[in-house]
Amino acid sequence: MTRIEQARILVVGASGALGTLIAERLAERGARLVLHGRDPARLGASAGAATVAVDLTEADAPETIVDRAVEALGGLDAIVVAAGVVGFDGVAETAGRDLETMFTVNALAPMRIISVALPSLRDSAAEGNEPVVLTISGIVSELPTAGLASYSASKAALAAYVAAAGRELRRSGIRLVDARPGHTETGLADRPLFGTAPRFPHGHDPANVADRLVRAIEDGSTSLPPDAFTGA
C-alpha cells in the first residue's frame, strides 16, 4: 500500500488529458506534486503544484525533470508517467516516419526517468515509505495492432522494461506498475505524430481510467492488464 496524502509525486505528462485528471485526483488526496509538460501554458491544473516545462525529446530532459522535482519536493515517493505520442503507419510507411520522437517519448525518456530517479526512490524506501512508479503502456503492448506497428513496438518496449525493472527493484522496496488500458477517449488519436487514425470503437472514459490508475498507486498493484479497466 502506498499512502498518497503528503506523498511527493512527479507526474510526467501532466498537461495531457489523462495526466491532468490523474494530477487532479492526486491533489485531492493531499499529494505534493510536481507537474511536467511540454507547454508551460497548459500546466498548473493543481493549485500550489510546482511545474517543469521540458520537451521529452531534449537530450537532458530526464535529468532536468527529476532534478527539479527533487529540488521542489525534497525527495520523491512516486512517479506517474502519463506522457505519450501516437502514430499510425503500415509497414510500408514505417521507414519514412519519425520513429526517433515516438520511441523517445514513449519508451526511452520514461526508462531514463526511472533510472535517474532511483536514488531518490531508494531514499524514500529507506525512510519507511513505499515508493512506486506507474507507467501506461496500453493494450497495444500486449496486442500489437496492424496499422500501429511502430506505436505498438514503442509501448511494448516500455512494458518490457517496467516488468524487468520491477523484478529487479522489488528487494529495494520500490514498486513498478504498468497499466495497459484499451483505447481511451483522451483525444490523443486526433493528434497523431504521423498518419491518420482509423475509426476506433468508443473507448474508455478517461475519468474512470484515471480513477483506476490512482487506486493502483494506493492498493499495491504491480500490473494493470486490459481487463482491469473493464467498465472504465
Side-chain angles (χ1 to χ4, degrees):
M1 300 289 288
T2 297
R3 182 181 175 88
I4 290 179
E5 185 177 4
Q6 291 301 304
R8 301 163 295 184
I9 303 179
L10 166 64
V11 181
V12 180
S15 59
L18 192 56
T20 297
L21 292 170
I22 294 168
E24 289 173 351
R25 282 150 177 75
L26 293 172
E28 290 167 359
R29 287 164 171 78
R32 298 166 55 202
L33 300 175
V34 167
L35 306 180
H36 159 268
R38 183 177 60 181
D39 183 357
R42 297 178 61 187
L43 290 171
S46 298
T51 62
V52 51
V54 178
D55 193 314
L56 286 175
T57 62
E58 294 183 16
D60 59 351
E63 291 81 3
T64 298
I65 293 166
V66 172
D67 287 350
R68 291 188 186 176
V70 171
E71 180 181 6
L73 299 173
L76 276 177
D77 302 311
I79 300 172
V80 176
V81 181
V85 293
V86 68
F88 304 99
D89 62 332
V91 176
E93 294 83 41
T94 296
R97 299 307 194 188
D98 186 3
L99 301 186
E100 289 78 9
T101 294
M102 173 165 286
F103 274 80
T104 296
V105 174
N106 290 350
L108 299 179
M111 289 160 58
R112 289 177 56 202
I113 286 169
I114 293 169
S115 181
V116 171
L118 274 185
S120 295
L121 296 172
R122 288 194 173 111
D123 287 346
S124 176
E127 293 165 3
N129 301 312
E130 299 181 355
V132 58
V133 178
L134 171 69
T135 60
I136 307 168
S137 67
I139 193 171
V140 295
S141 66
E142 287 190 8
L143 299 171
T145 302
L148 290 90
S150 57
Y151 176 67
S152 299
S154 69
K155 288 296 192 175
L158 175 63
Y161 182 87
V162 171
R167 291 191 288 270
E168 180 180 334
L169 297 174
R170 190 176 301 140
R171 292 184 179 180
S172 299
I174 300 169
R175 176 167 57 98
L176 272 64
V177 52
D178 182 58
R180 299 178 295 283
H183 174 60
T184 303
E185 297 294 336
T186 62
L188 183 65
D190 299 327
R191 304 183 299 275
L193 187 63
F194 48 76
T196 302
R199 176 172 290 184
F200 290 109
H202 188 73
H204 295 313
D205 181 340
N208 293 336
V209 171
D211 288 337
R212 185 65 187 91
L213 295 172
V214 171
R215 288 203 308 276
I217 295 173
E218 295 178 303
D219 67 15
S221 297
T222 56
S223 179
L224 287 179
D227 62 10
F229 298 89
T230 301

